[in-house]
Amino acid sequence: MSESVVLKFAAIVGGIFGLALVFMPNGLAAMYGAPPMNATGVYSSMLYGGTFIGFAAMNWAASSANAAGQRRYVILGDLVANFAGLLIALSRQFTSDAATEAGWINVGLFLLFAALFAYLHFWPQGGTRV
């Protein structure tokens, strides 16, 4: 899969989750079977959503970069963010009594994107990067 396709796919998924977190944080939480958040939880979720939107914009812009070398730092940042998200999501699923079955969606998405960005980072299509 090309860097451009992975970056665009990540931008679309991140943008959808980001917009949902900004405009309907409790609605998204309800889809995961979580109770409504207090004002602090809503605020934190909205900030997190803004970060997702920022990553989405960055990934979409990087997908159009002329040379693969121009994307390497974006890919590295995506790899680190998704690997950290995977560890956090896995930890919650295995250690929290409040974790729901829907939380495995997060694990799956973080695993998918961590794997895709690891592939692009460590086995680039156009040359060596490590």
Side-chain angles (χ1 to χ4, degrees):
M1 190 176 290
S2 76
E3 289 180 348
S4 180
V5 170
V6 172
L7 288 164
K8 284 181 180 176
F9 181 51
I12 292 166
V13 172
I16 290 168
F17 274 92
L19 290 170
L21 285 166
V22 167
F23 292 109
M24 50 179 241
N26 272 320
L28 185 60
M31 291 172 57
Y32 279 85
M37 295 177 278
N38 63 18
T40 303
V42 168
Y43 174 65
S44 294
S45 294
M46 292 172 75
L47 288 174
Y48 184 52
T51 301
F52 265 25
I53 293 168
F55 264 81
M58 176 187 67
N59 286 333
W60 192 267
S63 73
S64 300
N66 294 332
Q70 295 174 331
R71 293 178 237 175
R72 68 182 183 181
Y73 300 115
V74 172
I75 289 169
L76 177 61
D78 278 311
L79 171 59
V80 170
N82 281 283
F83 186 71
L86 173 62
L87 294 178
I88 293 163
L90 272 174
S91 173
R92 177 170 170 76
Q93 285 303 110
F94 286 124
T95 63
S96 175
D97 292 336
T100 65
E101 292 298 316
W104 288 106
I105 294 169
N106 290 353
V107 172
L109 286 171
F110 282 123
L111 177 62
L112 172 67
F113 284 112
L116 287 171
F117 285 115
Y119 170 75
L120 293 178
H121 181 71
F122 293 110
W123 296 280
Q125 314 328 337
T128 58
R129 177 172 311 149
V130 181

